[in-house]
Amino acid sequence: MVMKIDEPDKLIAANKGGTIIFGQNNDCVIAASDPAAFEPFAIKKKRILGDNEIAVISAEGWEIFKEAKTEEEDFFSAKSDIGDFLFFMEKEIFEQPKIFSNTIAGRFIFEQGLPRLDGIEDFARELRNVKNFHFVGCGTAYNACRYAALLFNRFGIAARAWIASEFCYSHPVFDPTDAFVFISQSGETADTIEVINEIKIKGNICLGIVNVPGSRIWRETDAGIGIRAGKEKGVASTKAFTSQLATIVMLAVFLARQRKMTIDTGQRIINELKKIPDKIEIILRDADRIKELAKKYACFRNYYFLGRYFHSVTADEGSLKLKEISYVHAEGYPLGEMKHGPLALIEPDFCSVVIIPDDPIFKKGIVNIHEIKGRNGTVLAITDKKKGISPADDTINIPTTIDYLSPILTTIPTQLFAYYMALEFGCNPDKPRNLAKTVTVN
Ligand code: M6R
């Protein structure tokens, strides 16, 4: 709340994610964050100041002004200058610390170890009783869906991920009480919208995790959470992906807190999420080294991206980035699957990017790296293990975090690697051939 020296009889109140209530009786106006404060007064009129509302209060009452800009206006009016960057993709990779902070800003009630997700508040009670969640998306958004399913399962909530373009034709089995969550950067992807239309016929709850405010998926889902990544211009999705992961974590913690997760676990995750922007910054400081590695590795035309558990998702995302902007053949695989077939392709000029953080399955991953090295394969490792990965040819180090948050970090070097590889091959990473930023056909 603010008072102006030249208008001492007025008080200006603004609400961004908090609780402000006005009460009026015959003599005065009271502003409080808890209605209990009104008890001693004979309050005749009350008003809750909504999110993004601004009010001018005097002894006679209050006047409410809606905030000048809505989220949608903010999004579309934001400048998207390329600044000193060569390409938008580079800019979007490097702005991730700021964007990530923006995604989580004002979205926690720390004392309760609870994310505060205004967009789904009205559905909170219904969501409490949902036993199964289905995440639906395409491309990078589908990879975010897979991360969501693993994280929900990790927190004891049943969930699965669907490729939108496959959903309607694969006879999906689900219960009327299941909830669907549609993930999309653009909010206009035709394949995803097709599934929304199908689910609307069935009548399940539809939530959205969307970047572009006012887009079709934003509008057509029952409720949702904006990821606040700002305009993403590069065809390859980068900052939207990390903001999607942040949003998924907040949603997962919100739902897990409704179930069995304790306050202190919620608080620990919130604390760790707040440290992520600095940790992304640390990885970005290593960009020159990753650029050098891209020069060194540009001789390879075939890549596996490998990882276990959460990192089989970041492996797929890394391979998608590399193939779409540098036209190099890349496949993502769960690291433990190598021995069931893919190892056959390994030879000295086949490169494996192995994402292997120091987590409970680290040792198994090391065995798998030995299997690749034993076939004379080349290995570029991404790890938070301080001493590096000894059988690997090169190692990219990243900071440590909670194991299920580490995909947010391990994805950054793969974005940089793909970007610098594209430059090595003289490709324009912002406009890869044959692709569109928004896929409005199915
Ligand atoms: O706008 P959406 O998130 O729905 O788009 C989904 C995919 O088309 C998109 O993620 C695509 O895979 C990206 N080009 C990958 O970088």
Side-chain angles (χ1 to χ4, degrees):
M1 294 214 220
V2 182
M3 280 183 92
K4 284 176 77 193
I5 287 176
D6 55 348
E7 287 181 278
D9 54 339
K10 287 185 181 150
L11 198 58
I12 300 164
N15 186 14
K16 184 94 188 159
T19 308
I20 302 177
I21 312 163
F22 305 135
Q24 186 172 22
N25 65 11
N26 289 338
D27 309 315
C28 64
V29 171
I30 300 162
S33 58
D34 186 337
F38 298 147
E39 272 166 29
F41 306 92
I43 295 297
K44 294 196 166 145
K45 191 176 153 197
K46 270 191 219 159
R47 166 74 153 83
I48 297 174
L49 190 66
D51 219 11
N52 295 330
E53 281 186 337
I54 298 171
V56 177
I57 314 158
S58 66
E60 285 79 48
W62 52 80
E63 197 181 345
I64 308 281
F65 298 87
K66 192 71 188 158
E67 193 193 38
K69 276 187 188 167
T70 62
E71 199 162 346
E72 194 170 342
E73 285 162 344
D74 257 350
F75 183 92
F76 289 107
S77 64
K79 281 208 260 161
S80 51
D81 291 348
I82 198 156
D84 292 334
F85 295 99
L86 280 178
F87 290 98
F88 277 102
M89 181 178 177
E90 184 187 19
K91 176 182 181 245
E92 287 159 6
I93 291 173
F94 278 87
E95 68 189 8
Q96 285 176 107
K98 188 183 82 197
I99 295 293
F100 193 95
S101 301
N102 194 39
T103 300
I104 62 173
R107 282 180 156 168
F108 299 119
I109 308 169
F110 184 77
E111 317 76 66
Q112 297 176 19
L114 189 68
R116 190 199 151 98
L117 302 170
D118 293 344
I120 57 163
E121 214 168 56
D122 293 347
F123 278 83
R125 282 186 137 197
E126 282 176 65
L127 291 172
R128 168 68 185 90
N129 297 316
V130 172
K131 291 210 171 62
N132 283 294
F133 287 84
H134 300 262
F135 288 87
V136 184
C138 301
T140 290
Y142 169 66
N143 287 333
C145 290
R146 288 179 52 214
Y147 171 76
L150 289 173
L151 188 65
F152 272 49
N153 289 179
R154 176 67 172 265
F155 291 165
I157 306 170
R160 68 168 291 184
W162 298 89
I163 294 179
S165 58
E166 289 286 306
F167 184 87
C168 296
Y169 313 98
S170 53
H171 302 275
V173 176
F174 55 92
D175 195 80
T177 58
D178 291 356
F180 280 74
V181 185
F182 297 91
I183 304 185
S184 174
Q185 185 285 128
S186 62
E188 300 289 349
T189 300
D191 288 324
T192 311
I193 292 169
E194 185 179 37
V195 184
I196 296 182
N197 293 338
E198 178 66 16
I199 294 306
K200 279 187 157 180
I201 295 171
K202 304 286 191 279
N204 293 65
I205 296 178
C206 294
L207 303 181
I209 292 183
V210 178
N211 189 34
V212 180
S215 59
R216 187 120 173 245
I217 298 176
W218 181 287
R219 294 192 315 268
E220 297 207 357
T221 41
D222 300 317
I225 312 167
I227 67 166
R228 303 179 182 161
K231 279 178 206 159
E232 190 179 63
K233 292 196 132 194
V235 166
S237 191
T238 52
K239 62 177 181 171
F241 181 61
T242 43
S243 289
Q244 283 162 353
L245 299 192
T247 308
I248 289 163
V249 175
M250 292 188 287
L251 178 62
V253 175
F254 178 84
L255 297 169
R257 286 284 293 117
Q258 287 186 324
R259 293 159 175 82
K260 289 190 174 157
M261 184 182 280
T262 55
I263 292 188
D264 53 324
T265 303
Q267 289 178 331
R268 179 169 167 250
I269 298 170
I270 292 171
N271 273 335
E272 199 51 38
L273 276 175
K274 288 181 178 168
K275 291 181 196 157
I276 294 284
D278 287 345
K279 294 186 179 184
I280 297 177
E281 197 73 65
I282 291 170
I283 301 170
L284 293 173
R285 275 187 227 135
D286 218 12
D288 284 345
R289 176 149 183 276
I290 297 172
K291 192 176 187 175
E292 286 309 309
L293 287 171
K295 276 195 173 58
K296 176 176 170 185
Y297 281 80
C299 56
F300 297 99
R301 300 300 300 182
N302 288 296
Y303 277 83
Y304 281 139
F305 278 72
L306 307 165
R308 282 175 170 262
Y309 193 21
F310 287 104
H311 298 288
S312 71
V313 175
T314 34
D316 279 352
E317 177 57 12
S319 81
L320 175 61
K321 257 1 37 141
L322 185 63
K323 77 181 90 166
E324 82 174 316
I325 59 167
S326 68
Y327 320 139
V328 169
H329 170 238
E331 279 183 76
Y333 251 103
L335 180 54
E337 269 295 289
M338 287 297 283
K339 54 188 171 301
H340 299 290
L343 263 184
L345 287 182
I346 293 296
E347 52 185 7
D349 59 1
F350 200 116
C351 180
S352 299
V353 176
V354 182
I355 304 171
I356 179 167
D358 189 7
D359 59 16
I361 39 176
F362 175 79
K363 283 193 180 145
K364 286 197 163 216
I366 290 289
V367 171
N368 300 137
I369 292 181
H370 277 289
E371 286 163 359
I372 299 170
K373 290 304 300 171
R375 273 92 183 160
N376 298 317
T378 303
V379 172
L380 169 59
I382 298 173
T383 187
D384 59 351
K385 188 89 174 163
K386 299 280 175 307
K387 288 184 187 154
I389 301 296
S390 70
D393 296 272
D394 286 290
T395 303
I396 297 171
N397 282 98
I398 57 155
T400 298
T401 182
I402 303 174
D403 69 330
Y404 46 78
L405 299 185
S406 72
I408 303 166
L409 299 181
T410 57
T411 202
I412 309 289
T414 66
Q415 295 171 348
L416 286 167
F417 186 72
Y419 172 73
Y420 291 125
M421 285 284 277
L423 298 194
E424 280 302 310
F425 294 121
C427 306
N428 177 343
D430 284 347
K431 293 193 170 71
R433 68 186 181 204
N434 310 336
L435 298 177
K437 177 69 183 158
T438 305
V439 185
T440 52
V441 288
N442 49 14

Short mmCIF file of all heavy atoms in Angstrom, two decimals, residues 298-350:
data_model
loop_
_atom_site.label_atom_id
_atom_site.label_comp_id
_atom_site.label_asym_id
_atom_site.label_seq_id
_atom_site.Cartn_x
_atom_site.Cartn_y
_atom_site.Cartn_z
N ALA A 298 31.75 -31.79 -34.43
CA ALA A 298 31.03 -31.57 -35.69
C ALA A 298 31.40 -32.60 -36.74
O ALA A 298 30.73 -32.72 -37.77
CB ALA A 298 31.30 -30.15 -36.20
N CYS A 299 32.47 -33.37 -36.49
CA CYS A 299 32.84 -34.40 -37.47
C CYS A 299 31.89 -35.61 -37.42
O CYS A 299 31.87 -36.42 -38.34
CB CYS A 299 34.28 -34.86 -37.21
SG CYS A 299 34.55 -35.43 -35.54
N PHE A 300 31.09 -35.71 -36.36
CA PHE A 300 30.18 -36.87 -36.25
C PHE A 300 28.85 -36.55 -36.93
O PHE A 300 28.31 -35.46 -36.76
CB PHE A 300 29.91 -37.20 -34.78
CG PHE A 300 31.15 -37.63 -34.03
CD1 PHE A 300 31.84 -36.73 -33.23
CD2 PHE A 300 31.63 -38.93 -34.14
CE1 PHE A 300 32.98 -37.11 -32.56
CE2 PHE A 300 32.78 -39.31 -33.46
CZ PHE A 300 33.45 -38.40 -32.67
N ARG A 301 28.32 -37.51 -37.65
CA ARG A 301 27.02 -37.31 -38.31
C ARG A 301 25.93 -38.18 -37.69
O ARG A 301 24.79 -38.17 -38.13
CB ARG A 301 27.12 -37.61 -39.81
CG ARG A 301 28.11 -36.74 -40.56
CD ARG A 301 27.79 -35.26 -40.50
NE ARG A 301 26.49 -34.91 -41.04
CZ ARG A 301 26.03 -33.68 -41.13
NH1 ARG A 301 26.77 -32.67 -40.69
NH2 ARG A 301 24.84 -33.43 -41.63
N ASN A 302 26.32 -38.98 -36.69
CA ASN A 302 25.33 -39.85 -36.03
C ASN A 302 25.48 -39.75 -34.52
O ASN A 302 26.60 -39.85 -33.99
CB ASN A 302 25.56 -41.30 -36.44
CG ASN A 302 25.13 -41.53 -37.87
OD1 ASN A 302 23.96 -41.42 -38.20
ND2 ASN A 302 26.09 -41.82 -38.73
N TYR A 303 24.36 -39.56 -33.87
CA TYR A 303 24.38 -39.36 -32.41
C TYR A 303 23.32 -40.19 -31.71
O TYR A 303 22.19 -40.30 -32.19
CB TYR A 303 24.06 -37.89 -32.08
CG TYR A 303 25.24 -36.99 -32.17
CD1 TYR A 303 25.64 -36.47 -33.40
CD2 TYR A 303 25.97 -36.65 -31.04
CE1 TYR A 303 26.73 -35.64 -33.51
CE2 TYR A 303 27.06 -35.81 -31.14
CZ TYR A 303 27.45 -35.32 -32.37
OH TYR A 303 28.53 -34.49 -32.46
N TYR A 304 23.70 -40.73 -30.56
CA TYR A 304 22.70 -41.17 -29.58
C TYR A 304 22.70 -40.15 -28.46
O TYR A 304 23.76 -39.65 -28.07
CB TYR A 304 23.07 -42.52 -28.96
CG TYR A 304 22.77 -43.74 -29.80
CD1 TYR A 304 23.68 -44.80 -29.86
CD2 TYR A 304 21.57 -43.86 -30.49
CE1 TYR A 304 23.41 -45.93 -30.61
CE2 TYR A 304 21.29 -45.00 -31.25
CZ TYR A 304 22.21 -46.02 -31.30
OH TYR A 304 21.94 -47.14 -32.03
N PHE A 305 21.52 -39.85 -27.94
CA PHE A 305 21.41 -39.10 -26.69
C PHE A 305 20.82 -40.08 -25.68
O PHE A 305 19.74 -40.63 -25.92
CB PHE A 305 20.50 -37.87 -26.84
CG PHE A 305 21.20 -36.70 -27.45
CD1 PHE A 305 21.54 -36.70 -28.79
CD2 PHE A 305 21.53 -35.59 -26.69
CE1 PHE A 305 22.20 -35.61 -29.36
CE2 PHE A 305 22.18 -34.50 -27.24
CZ PHE A 305 22.52 -34.51 -28.58
N LEU A 306 21.56 -40.30 -24.60
CA LEU A 306 21.20 -41.39 -23.69
C LEU A 306 21.09 -40.91 -22.26
O LEU A 306 21.84 -40.03 -21.81
CB LEU A 306 22.29 -42.48 -23.77
CG LEU A 306 22.61 -42.98 -25.18
CD1 LEU A 306 23.92 -43.76 -25.18
CD2 LEU A 306 21.48 -43.84 -25.71
N GLY A 307 20.15 -41.50 -21.54
CA GLY A 307 20.02 -41.20 -20.12
C GLY A 307 19.05 -42.18 -19.50
O GLY A 307 18.31 -42.87 -20.22
N ARG A 308 19.06 -42.24 -18.20
CA ARG A 308 18.13 -43.13 -17.50
C ARG A 308 17.09 -42.30 -16.76
O ARG A 308 17.35 -41.18 -16.36
CB ARG A 308 18.89 -43.97 -16.47
CG ARG A 308 19.64 -45.14 -17.09
CD ARG A 308 20.45 -45.85 -16.03
NE ARG A 308 20.99 -47.09 -16.55
CZ ARG A 308 20.45 -48.29 -16.34
NH1 ARG A 308 19.35 -48.42 -15.64
NH2 ARG A 308 21.02 -49.36 -16.84
N TYR A 309 15.91 -42.88 -16.57
CA TYR A 309 14.84 -42.30 -15.74
C TYR A 309 14.50 -40.89 -16.25
O TYR A 309 14.19 -40.75 -17.43
CB TYR A 309 15.31 -42.31 -14.27
CG TYR A 309 14.25 -42.05 -13.22
CD1 TYR A 309 12.90 -42.22 -13.45
CD2 TYR A 309 14.63 -41.64 -11.94
CE1 TYR A 309 11.95 -41.97 -12.45
CE2 TYR A 309 13.71 -41.40 -10.92
CZ TYR A 309 12.37 -41.56 -11.20
OH TYR A 309 11.45 -41.31 -10.21
N PHE A 310 14.57 -39.86 -15.44
CA PHE A 310 14.20 -38.52 -15.91
C PHE A 310 15.05 -38.11 -17.12
O PHE A 310 14.62 -37.32 -17.95
CB PHE A 310 14.39 -37.49 -14.80
CG PHE A 310 13.34 -37.59 -13.72
CD1 PHE A 310 13.64 -38.16 -12.49
CD2 PHE A 310 12.05 -37.12 -13.94
CE1 PHE A 310 12.67 -38.26 -11.49
CE2 PHE A 310 11.08 -37.22 -12.95
CZ PHE A 310 11.39 -37.78 -11.74
N HIS A 311 16.26 -38.64 -17.17
CA HIS A 311 17.18 -38.19 -18.22
C HIS A 311 17.00 -38.93 -19.53
O HIS A 311 17.64 -38.59 -20.52
CB HIS A 311 18.60 -38.21 -17.70
CG HIS A 311 18.70 -37.27 -16.55
ND1 HIS A 311 18.67 -35.91 -16.72
CD2 HIS A 311 18.69 -37.51 -15.22
CE1 HIS A 311 18.67 -35.34 -15.53
NE2 HIS A 311 18.67 -36.27 -14.60
N SER A 312 16.10 -39.95 -19.54
CA SER A 312 15.77 -40.49 -20.87
C SER A 312 14.88 -39.44 -21.56
O SER A 312 14.84 -39.36 -22.79
CB SER A 312 15.07 -41.85 -20.77
OG SER A 312 13.79 -41.71 -20.26
N VAL A 313 14.21 -38.61 -20.77
CA VAL A 313 13.41 -37.52 -21.35
C VAL A 313 14.32 -36.41 -21.89
O VAL A 313 14.18 -35.97 -23.03
CB VAL A 313 12.44 -36.92 -20.30
CG1 VAL A 313 11.70 -35.73 -20.87
CG2 VAL A 313 11.46 -37.98 -19.80
N THR A 314 15.29 -35.99 -21.08
CA THR A 314 16.17 -34.91 -21.56
C THR A 314 17.04 -35.41 -22.71
O THR A 314 17.44 -34.63 -23.57
CB THR A 314 17.04 -34.32 -20.43
OG1 THR A 314 17.39 -35.33 -19.51
CG2 THR A 314 16.32 -33.20 -19.72
N ALA A 315 17.31 -36.73 -22.72
CA ALA A 315 18.05 -37.29 -23.85
C ALA A 315 17.21 -37.13 -25.12
O ALA A 315 17.71 -36.65 -26.15
CB ALA A 315 18.35 -38.76 -23.59
N ASP A 316 15.94 -37.47 -25.06
CA ASP A 316 15.08 -37.31 -26.24
C ASP A 316 14.97 -35.84 -26.66
O ASP A 316 14.98 -35.52 -27.84
CB ASP A 316 13.67 -37.85 -25.94
CG ASP A 316 13.61 -39.36 -26.07
OD1 ASP A 316 14.61 -39.95 -26.53
OD2 ASP A 316 12.59 -39.95 -25.70
N GLU A 317 14.87 -34.98 -25.67
CA GLU A 317 14.76 -33.55 -25.97
C GLU A 317 16.06 -33.05 -26.63
O GLU A 317 16.02 -32.29 -27.59
CB GLU A 317 14.43 -32.78 -24.68
CG GLU A 317 14.35 -31.27 -24.80
CD GLU A 317 13.34 -30.75 -25.81
OE1 GLU A 317 12.50 -31.52 -26.31
OE2 GLU A 317 13.43 -29.55 -26.14
N GLY A 318 17.21 -33.51 -26.10
CA GLY A 318 18.51 -33.11 -26.69
C GLY A 318 18.63 -33.59 -28.12
O GLY A 318 19.10 -32.86 -29.00
N SER A 319 18.17 -34.82 -28.39
CA SER A 319 18.30 -35.35 -29.75
C SER A 319 17.36 -34.62 -30.70
O SER A 319 17.70 -34.33 -31.84
CB SER A 319 18.05 -36.86 -29.78
OG SER A 319 16.68 -37.14 -29.79
N LEU A 320 16.17 -34.27 -30.19
CA LEU A 320 15.21 -33.51 -31.02
C LEU A 320 15.82 -32.16 -31.41
O LEU A 320 15.75 -31.73 -32.56
CB LEU A 320 13.89 -33.32 -30.25
CG LEU A 320 12.82 -32.45 -30.89
CD1 LEU A 320 12.36 -33.02 -32.23
CD2 LEU A 320 11.60 -32.32 -29.97
N LYS A 321 16.45 -31.48 -30.43
CA LYS A 321 17.04 -30.17 -30.70
C LYS A 321 18.12 -30.30 -31.77
O LYS A 321 18.17 -29.53 -32.72
CB LYS A 321 17.70 -29.63 -29.44
CG LYS A 321 17.17 -28.61 -28.55
CD LYS A 321 15.93 -27.88 -28.62
CE LYS A 321 14.70 -28.54 -29.11
NZ LYS A 321 13.49 -28.16 -28.38
N LEU A 322 19.00 -31.30 -31.59
CA LEU A 322 20.13 -31.42 -32.53
C LEU A 322 19.63 -31.70 -33.94
O LEU A 322 20.05 -31.06 -34.90
CB LEU A 322 21.08 -32.54 -32.06
CG LEU A 322 22.35 -32.67 -32.90
CD1 LEU A 322 23.20 -31.41 -32.81
CD2 LEU A 322 23.19 -33.88 -32.45
N LYS A 323 18.69 -32.66 -34.07
CA LYS A 323 18.28 -33.01 -35.43
C LYS A 323 17.49 -31.87 -36.08
O LYS A 323 17.66 -31.60 -37.26
CB LYS A 323 17.52 -34.34 -35.46
CG LYS A 323 16.09 -34.33 -35.00
CD LYS A 323 15.49 -35.73 -35.08
CE LYS A 323 15.71 -36.45 -33.79
NZ LYS A 323 15.02 -37.63 -33.51
N GLU A 324 16.67 -31.16 -35.31
CA GLU A 324 15.82 -30.18 -35.98
C GLU A 324 16.56 -28.94 -36.45
O GLU A 324 16.17 -28.33 -37.43
CB GLU A 324 14.58 -29.82 -35.14
CG GLU A 324 14.75 -28.79 -34.05
CD GLU A 324 13.42 -28.42 -33.39
OE1 GLU A 324 12.42 -28.20 -34.10
OE2 GLU A 324 13.40 -28.32 -32.16
N ILE A 325 17.66 -28.57 -35.77
CA ILE A 325 18.33 -27.33 -36.23
C ILE A 325 19.66 -27.57 -36.93
O ILE A 325 20.17 -26.66 -37.58
CB ILE A 325 18.50 -26.31 -35.08
CG1 ILE A 325 19.32 -26.90 -33.95
CG2 ILE A 325 17.16 -25.79 -34.60
CD1 ILE A 325 19.77 -25.84 -32.96
N SER A 326 20.26 -28.77 -36.78
CA SER A 326 21.55 -28.95 -37.46
C SER A 326 21.48 -30.07 -38.49
O SER A 326 22.48 -30.34 -39.17
CB SER A 326 22.66 -29.20 -36.45
OG SER A 326 22.46 -30.45 -35.84
N TYR A 327 20.33 -30.73 -38.58
CA TYR A 327 20.10 -31.80 -39.57
C TYR A 327 21.08 -32.96 -39.42
O TYR A 327 21.39 -33.67 -40.38
CB TYR A 327 20.15 -31.25 -41.02
CG TYR A 327 19.49 -29.90 -41.17
CD1 TYR A 327 20.05 -28.91 -41.97
CD2 TYR A 327 18.31 -29.60 -40.50
CE1 TYR A 327 19.46 -27.66 -42.10
CE2 TYR A 327 17.70 -28.35 -40.61
CZ TYR A 327 18.28 -27.39 -41.40
OH TYR A 327 17.71 -26.17 -41.52
N VAL A 328 21.58 -33.13 -38.22
CA VAL A 328 22.44 -34.27 -37.92
C VAL A 328 21.54 -35.38 -37.37
O VAL A 328 20.64 -35.11 -36.58
CB VAL A 328 23.49 -33.87 -36.85
CG1 VAL A 328 24.22 -35.08 -36.31
CG2 VAL A 328 24.47 -32.89 -37.45
N HIS A 329 21.82 -36.61 -37.79
CA HIS A 329 20.99 -37.71 -37.31
C HIS A 329 21.23 -37.94 -35.81
O HIS A 329 22.37 -38.16 -35.38
CB HIS A 329 21.31 -39.00 -38.07
CG HIS A 329 20.66 -40.20 -37.46
ND1 HIS A 329 21.38 -41.29 -37.02
CD2 HIS A 329 19.36 -40.45 -37.15
CE1 HIS A 329 20.54 -42.16 -36.49
NE2 HIS A 329 19.32 -41.68 -36.56
N ALA A 330 20.16 -37.88 -35.02
CA ALA A 330 20.29 -38.07 -33.57
C ALA A 330 19.08 -38.83 -33.07
O ALA A 330 17.95 -38.55 -33.46
CB ALA A 330 20.39 -36.71 -32.88
N GLU A 331 19.34 -39.80 -32.21
CA GLU A 331 18.24 -40.58 -31.60
C GLU A 331 18.37 -40.54 -30.09
O GLU A 331 19.48 -40.69 -29.58
CB GLU A 331 18.36 -42.05 -32.00
CG GLU A 331 17.83 -42.39 -33.36
CD GLU A 331 17.95 -43.88 -33.61
OE1 GLU A 331 17.14 -44.65 -33.06
OE2 GLU A 331 18.88 -44.27 -34.33
N GLY A 332 17.26 -40.39 -29.43
CA GLY A 332 17.27 -40.48 -27.97
C GLY A 332 16.95 -41.91 -27.58
O GLY A 332 16.11 -42.56 -28.22
N TYR A 333 17.61 -42.39 -26.55
CA TYR A 333 17.36 -43.75 -26.07
C TYR A 333 17.53 -43.81 -24.56
O TYR A 333 18.40 -43.13 -24.01
CB TYR A 333 18.40 -44.73 -26.67
CG TYR A 333 17.81 -45.66 -27.70
CD1 TYR A 333 18.01 -45.45 -29.05
CD2 TYR A 333 17.04 -46.75 -27.30
CE1 TYR A 333 17.46 -46.29 -29.99
CE2 TYR A 333 16.49 -47.60 -28.24
CZ TYR A 333 16.70 -47.36 -29.59
OH TYR A 333 16.14 -48.19 -30.51
N PRO A 334 16.76 -44.65 -23.88
CA PRO A 334 17.07 -44.89 -22.47
C PRO A 334 18.42 -45.61 -22.40
O PRO A 334 18.62 -46.59 -23.14
CB PRO A 334 15.93 -45.79 -21.99
CG PRO A 334 14.87 -45.70 -23.03
CD PRO A 334 15.57 -45.38 -24.33
N LEU A 335 19.32 -45.10 -21.59
CA LEU A 335 20.69 -45.62 -21.57
C LEU A 335 20.74 -47.13 -21.36
O LEU A 335 21.54 -47.84 -22.00
CB LEU A 335 21.46 -44.88 -20.45
CG LEU A 335 22.92 -45.21 -20.20
CD1 LEU A 335 23.76 -45.10 -21.47
CD2 LEU A 335 23.49 -44.29 -19.13
N GLY A 336 19.89 -47.66 -20.49
CA GLY A 336 19.92 -49.09 -20.19
C GLY A 336 19.45 -49.96 -21.35
O GLY A 336 19.63 -51.18 -21.34
N GLU A 337 18.84 -49.35 -22.37
CA GLU A 337 18.34 -50.10 -23.53
C GLU A 337 19.42 -50.39 -24.56
O GLU A 337 19.23 -51.19 -25.47
CB GLU A 337 17.24 -49.29 -24.23
CG GLU A 337 15.84 -49.55 -23.75
CD GLU A 337 15.37 -50.98 -24.03
OE1 GLU A 337 15.11 -51.34 -25.19
OE2 GLU A 337 15.29 -51.74 -23.05
N MET A 338 20.58 -49.76 -24.41
CA MET A 338 21.63 -49.88 -25.43
C MET A 338 21.97 -51.33 -25.73
O MET A 338 22.12 -51.72 -26.87
CB MET A 338 22.89 -49.13 -24.96
CG MET A 338 22.76 -47.64 -25.01
SD MET A 338 22.53 -47.07 -26.69
CE MET A 338 24.20 -47.18 -27.33
N LYS A 339 22.07 -52.11 -24.66
CA LYS A 339 22.49 -53.51 -24.83
C LYS A 339 21.42 -54.35 -25.52
O LYS A 339 21.68 -55.49 -25.91
CB LYS A 339 22.87 -54.11 -23.48
CG LYS A 339 21.80 -53.99 -22.42
CD LYS A 339 22.33 -54.44 -21.06
CE LYS A 339 21.38 -54.14 -19.91
NZ LYS A 339 21.03 -52.73 -19.73
N HIS A 340 20.22 -53.82 -25.67
CA HIS A 340 19.14 -54.58 -26.29
C HIS A 340 19.02 -54.28 -27.79
O HIS A 340 17.97 -54.50 -28.38
CB HIS A 340 17.81 -54.29 -25.58
CG HIS A 340 17.84 -54.69 -24.14
ND1 HIS A 340 17.86 -56.01 -23.74
CD2 HIS A 340 17.89 -53.96 -23.00
CE1 HIS A 340 17.90 -56.06 -22.42
NE2 HIS A 340 17.93 -54.82 -21.94
N GLY A 341 20.04 -53.76 -28.39
CA GLY A 341 20.00 -53.52 -29.83
C GLY A 341 20.85 -52.35 -30.31
O GLY A 341 21.75 -52.53 -31.13
N PRO A 342 20.62 -51.14 -29.76
CA PRO A 342 21.30 -49.96 -30.31
C PRO A 342 22.83 -50.03 -30.26
O PRO A 342 23.51 -49.40 -31.10
CB PRO A 342 20.78 -48.81 -29.43
CG PRO A 342 19.46 -49.29 -28.94
CD PRO A 342 19.59 -50.78 -28.78
N LEU A 343 23.40 -50.82 -29.34
CA LEU A 343 24.86 -50.93 -29.25
C LEU A 343 25.46 -51.39 -30.58
O LEU A 343 26.64 -51.12 -30.87
CB LEU A 343 25.24 -51.96 -28.18
CG LEU A 343 25.60 -51.48 -26.77
CD1 LEU A 343 26.04 -52.67 -25.92
CD2 LEU A 343 26.71 -50.42 -26.79
N ALA A 344 24.67 -52.09 -31.39
CA ALA A 344 25.16 -52.61 -32.66
C ALA A 344 25.70 -51.51 -33.57
O ALA A 344 26.57 -51.74 -34.40
CB ALA A 344 24.05 -53.38 -33.36
N LEU A 345 25.17 -50.30 -33.43
CA LEU A 345 25.62 -49.21 -34.30
C LEU A 345 26.91 -48.54 -33.82
O LEU A 345 27.48 -47.70 -34.52
CB LEU A 345 24.52 -48.13 -34.40
CG LEU A 345 23.28 -48.47 -35.21
CD1 LEU A 345 22.33 -47.26 -35.24
CD2 LEU A 345 23.65 -48.85 -36.64
N ILE A 346 27.31 -48.86 -32.59
CA ILE A 346 28.45 -48.14 -32.02
C ILE A 346 29.76 -48.48 -32.74
O ILE A 346 30.09 -49.64 -32.95
CB ILE A 346 28.58 -48.45 -30.49
CG1 ILE A 346 27.38 -47.87 -29.74
CG2 ILE A 346 29.89 -47.91 -29.91
CD1 ILE A 346 27.25 -46.36 -29.76
N GLU A 347 30.45 -47.43 -33.14
CA GLU A 347 31.79 -47.53 -33.74
C GLU A 347 32.45 -46.17 -33.48
O GLU A 347 31.79 -45.26 -32.97
CB GLU A 347 31.69 -47.86 -35.23
CG GLU A 347 30.77 -46.92 -35.99
CD GLU A 347 30.58 -47.31 -37.44
OE1 GLU A 347 31.05 -48.38 -37.85
OE2 GLU A 347 29.96 -46.51 -38.17
N PRO A 348 33.73 -46.02 -33.77
CA PRO A 348 34.41 -44.78 -33.36
C PRO A 348 33.74 -43.49 -33.85
O PRO A 348 33.78 -42.48 -33.16
CB PRO A 348 35.82 -44.94 -33.96
CG PRO A 348 36.01 -46.42 -34.02
CD PRO A 348 34.67 -47.00 -34.33
N ASP A 349 33.14 -43.51 -35.05
CA ASP A 349 32.56 -42.23 -35.49
C ASP A 349 31.05 -42.12 -35.21
O ASP A 349 30.33 -41.40 -35.89
CB ASP A 349 32.89 -41.94 -36.96
CG ASP A 349 32.37 -43.02 -37.88
OD1 ASP A 349 31.75 -43.98 -37.38
OD2 ASP A 349 32.61 -42.92 -39.11
N PHE A 350 30.60 -42.85 -34.20
CA PHE A 350 29.21 -42.69 -33.73
C PHE A 350 29.31 -42.11 -32.32
O PHE A 350 29.91 -42.69 -31.43
CB PHE A 350 28.53 -44.06 -33.69
CG PHE A 350 27.02 -43.98 -33.69
CD1 PHE A 350 26.28 -44.49 -34.75
CD2 PHE A 350 26.34 -43.40 -32.63
CE1 PHE A 350 24.89 -44.43 -34.75
CE2 PHE A 350 24.96 -43.32 -32.62
CZ PHE A 350 24.22 -43.84 -33.69
#
